[in-house]
Amino acid sequence: MVLGLLIVLSGFLLSILSLGFASGVGARMGMTLAGIAVSLFGIVGVLNPAYNKNAIWKK
């Protein structure tokens, strides 16, 4: 679960840091979309299965 949170936060930071790293609009857009993709992977691919593994309705 901690790994999923780290992945989500790294995607968020990638989106934020695109403002300082890139000067062109296309480069910023690309880095922001990559950050969103990383965050979504962390939420859907890592956090969701971790929560479903310990779900209350499966006990």
Side-chain angles (χ1 to χ4, degrees):
M1 192 170 327
V2 174
L3 177 66
L5 290 174
L6 290 175
I7 293 172
V8 171
L9 288 177
S10 66
F12 176 73
L13 286 176
L14 180 63
S15 296
I16 296 298
L17 292 177
S18 70
L19 294 173
F21 287 145
S23 61
V25 174
R28 284 183 181 174
M29 180 67 75
M31 287 182 71
T32 302
L33 289 175
I36 291 170
V38 169
S39 293
L40 284 175
F41 170 74
I43 293 169
V44 176
V46 179
L47 283 178
N48 195 20
Y51 279 116
N52 281 334
K53 186 172 78 172
N54 299 325
I56 187 108
W57 61 84
K58 291 187 177 183
K59 291 182 180 181

